[in-house]
Amino acid sequence: MRKNSKDSIVEAAVFLFNTKGFSGTSIRDIAAKAGVNPANIAYYFQNKKGLLEYCFTAYFENYLSELEKGYLLLEEEGAELALKKIVENLLNYQSKNIQLTRFILREMTLDSQMVREVMSTYHVKERYYLKKVLEKGMRTKEFRNHSVLYVILQFKSLLNTPFLNIHYVNEVLHILPHEKYFIEKYSREVFAWIDSVLCEPKSIPARRIVSI
Amino acid sequence: MRKNSKDSIVEAAVFLFNTKGFSGTSIRDIAAKAGVNPANIAYYFQNKKGLLEYCFTAYFENYLSELEKGYLLLEEEGAELALKKIVENLLNYQSKNIQLTRFILREMTLDSQMVREVMSTYHVKERYYLKKVLEKGMRTKEFRNHSVLYVILQFKSLLNTPFLNIHYVNEVLHILPHEKYFIEKYSREVFAWIDSVLCEPKSIPARRIVSI
């Protein structure tokens, strides 16, 4: 089935930004790759900067809505479950949008006006949700006491690196973050981090008491 | 004390690459910033590509030599101690060379010929050392059984992210990875990851047995 031309333009643009860089890509290149008339791009996005802004907004709106779905479990299900749902949702979202994710995460390492704007809106919002979850978990003794911001740093490290460093991950570690199998396996790894580093030790299983 | 002009050139180049990008920086810019004659740059590095190669080589040679210093403890001191020494050395090295580190880590997210060459030499060597440490730790039961490559992925995530995402880390998390305080605190966080996720649980302290 033919995608609509707006989606085709975004897909073509992200592919070219990832291979030729943002500065190295022209509207003409994008139009040719997407199989549309350059005037279409102007119609939807005005110019290349407009297209870039659209990519950022689309990425972070969806990213935050995935995060919120996990956050909404906080009251009823508790902090550990909410955080694990957030991990699952964000890994899934990033894996399904692997090209866009890689491009956005790479752009976010720059020091530009747009990056500063994104940080002061979306990243501050993300920090707010994660802080709420972590603080509630510490209050209810699900989590040990921790420096919240250092936990967020580790959380972001674990969740972003496979997608930002996709070539390294593919070629040196032979791990394929676009495959469904990856999400299942890697979620378990991040869950193990939550269980072991964040959570208070669970009651000790009987067999371990016997072995003392 | 005046630095020698080769070091000044590299420092100026890295500063400009980080602010204006590699393509956006000319030899003339670098010469002006370093306060040297452009002919000096040609003398030491031939051209901009030569300068880029020099940055990569200098970074990874020193990075690996810090890693090796930890690796050498493996036989005598065991896997846990060797791995912790590696963490400490690499965090220190990256923090002391924060501008160069950020530039190299950002370049490594590209898919270029030079990145592929670096991966197939330095990253493969790094993987070799880390694999040795992890496999020995699992053999001696210091570490639990784990998928080695997934552990390396998490290890690299935790060690690189503060330096690659320095703006985010500074401005959203208010953490300052160039400060000595950061290394002390963050080493402890990564040690906690090693202790809780990698290591077999240590013998259970008496007070915990009493509380059962």
Side-chain angles (χ1 to χ4, degrees):
Chain A
M1 204 174 62
R2 183 84 177 85
K3 288 191 185 172
N4 73 52
S5 64
K6 193 170 178 182
D7 289 349
S8 313
I9 292 166
V10 172
E11 200 179 293
V14 168
F15 176 84
L16 291 167
F17 294 161
N18 273 338
T19 44
K20 304 170 69 174
F22 179 73
S23 329
T25 302
S26 69
I27 288 287
R28 200 168 290 271
D29 298 334
I30 300 168
K33 175 93 193 158
V36 303
N37 193 298
N40 271 21
I41 302 183
Y43 170 74
Y44 286 122
F45 306 105
Q46 266 203 325
N47 50 31
K48 215 168 62 166
K49 188 162 172 271
L51 187 45
L52 184 66
E53 276 170 12
Y54 178 86
C55 289
F56 269 98
T57 308
Y59 177 81
F60 280 109
E61 291 291 340
N62 288 320
Y63 178 95
L64 275 184
S65 109
E66 291 300 325
L67 203 162
E68 278 161 16
K69 280 185 213 157
Y71 176 75
L72 288 177
L73 303 178
L74 182 59
E75 284 311 311
E76 299 250 317
E77 309 275 352
E80 182 191 334
L81 236 143
L83 193 60
K84 287 184 175 172
K85 189 68 190 164
I86 291 173
V87 167
E88 219 170 64
N89 288 359
L90 294 183
L91 286 178
N92 262 310
Y93 173 68
Q94 293 185 114
S95 173
K96 273 185 198 146
N97 299 279
I98 204 156
Q99 289 294 330
L100 178 62
T101 299
R102 183 186 159 218
F103 171 64
I104 297 288
L105 292 178
R106 197 175 134 73
E107 285 296 301
M108 290 305 299
T109 65
L110 281 174
D111 184 19
S112 71
Q113 183 58 30
M114 199 179 300
V115 166
R116 275 191 293 271
E117 280 165 25
V118 166
M119 289 202 306
S120 67
T121 52
Y122 297 114
H123 278 164
V124 165
K125 215 162 167 182
E126 178 190 38
R127 184 188 66 195
Y128 170 85
Y129 287 130
L130 293 174
K131 220 173 150 191
K132 283 275 181 195
V133 173
L134 293 168
E135 284 173 350
K136 164 134 194 209
M138 291 181 205
R139 232 172 21 244
T140 59
K141 307 279 180 218
E142 283 183 87
F143 298 153
R144 283 178 242 184
N145 272 326
H146 269 286
S147 158
V148 168
L149 296 175
Y150 275 80
V151 173
I152 296 178
L153 172 55
Q154 292 169 70
F155 177 88
K156 296 275 293 172
S157 302
L158 294 172
L159 261 68
N160 290 347
T161 302
F163 306 102
L164 177 55
N165 293 284
I166 187 107
H167 293 296
Y168 168 79
V169 172
N170 283 341
E171 298 189 14
V172 182
L173 304 182
H174 313 301
I175 293 174
L176 307 171
H178 59 277
E179 292 200 345
K180 196 161 174 292
Y181 178 73
F182 168 77
I183 301 301
E184 284 165 23
K185 189 156 167 53
Y186 196 62
S187 300
R188 285 200 301 274
E189 301 282 338
V190 183
F191 290 177
W193 171 76
I194 294 174
D195 291 336
S196 317
V197 175
L198 284 189
C199 287
E200 285 286 357
K202 302 269 156 60
S203 62
I204 300 157
R207 64 178 181 286
R208 209 180 286 169
I209 297 175
V210 172
S211 76
I212 286 167
Chain B
M1 204 172 67
R2 182 87 177 85
K3 288 191 183 172
N4 74 52
S5 64
K6 193 170 178 183
D7 288 349
S8 313
I9 293 165
V10 171
E11 199 178 294
V14 168
F15 176 84
L16 292 167
F17 294 162
N18 273 339
T19 44
K20 304 170 69 174
F22 179 74
S23 330
T25 303
S26 69
I27 287 287
R28 201 168 289 269
D29 297 335
I30 300 168
K33 175 93 192 157
V36 303
N37 193 299
N40 271 19
I41 301 184
Y43 170 75
Y44 286 123
F45 305 104
Q46 265 201 328
N47 49 31
K48 215 169 63 166
K49 187 160 174 271
L51 187 46
L52 184 66
E53 276 170 12
Y54 178 87
C55 289
F56 270 99
T57 310
Y59 177 80
F60 280 109
E61 290 291 340
N62 289 320
Y63 178 95
L64 275 183
S65 109
E66 291 300 325
L67 202 161
E68 278 161 16
K69 279 185 214 158
Y71 175 75
L72 288 176
L73 301 178
L74 182 61
E75 285 311 310
E76 299 250 315
E77 309 276 350
E80 182 190 335
L81 236 143
L83 193 61
K84 287 183 175 173
K85 189 71 191 161
I86 291 173
V87 167
E88 218 171 64
N89 287 359
L90 294 182
L91 286 178
N92 262 310
Y93 173 68
Q94 293 186 114
S95 173
K96 272 185 199 146
N97 299 278
I98 204 156
Q99 289 294 332
L100 179 61
T101 300
R102 184 187 158 217
F103 171 64
I104 297 288
L105 292 179
R106 197 175 133 73
E107 285 297 302
M108 291 305 299
T109 64
L110 281 175
D111 183 19
S112 71
Q113 183 57 31
M114 198 179 299
V115 166
R116 276 191 293 271
E117 280 165 24
V118 165
M119 289 203 305
S120 66
T121 52
Y122 297 114
H123 278 163
V124 165
K125 215 162 168 183
E126 178 191 36
R127 184 188 66 194
Y128 170 86
Y129 287 129
L130 293 174
K131 221 173 151 191
K132 283 274 181 196
V133 173
L134 293 168
E135 283 173 351
K136 164 133 194 209
M138 291 180 205
R139 234 172 19 245
T140 59
K141 307 278 180 220
E142 282 182 87
F143 297 153
R144 283 179 241 184
N145 270 328
H146 269 287
S147 159
V148 168
L149 297 175
Y150 275 79
V151 173
I152 296 178
L153 172 54
Q154 292 169 70
F155 177 87
K156 296 275 292 173
S157 302
L158 294 172
L159 261 67
N160 290 346
T161 302
F163 305 103
L164 176 54
N165 293 284
I166 187 106
H167 292 296
Y168 169 78
V169 172
N170 282 342
E171 298 189 14
V172 182
L173 305 181
H174 314 300
I175 293 174
L176 307 171
H178 60 277
E179 291 200 346
K180 196 163 175 292
Y181 177 74
F182 168 78
I183 301 301
E184 283 165 23
K185 188 154 168 57
Y186 196 62
S187 301
R188 285 200 302 274
E189 300 281 340
V190 183
F191 290 177
W193 171 76
I194 295 174
D195 291 336
S196 316
V197 175
L198 285 189
C199 288
E200 284 287 356
K202 302 271 155 61
S203 61
I204 300 159
R207 66 178 179 286
R208 208 180 288 169
I209 297 173
V210 171
S211 76
I212 286 166

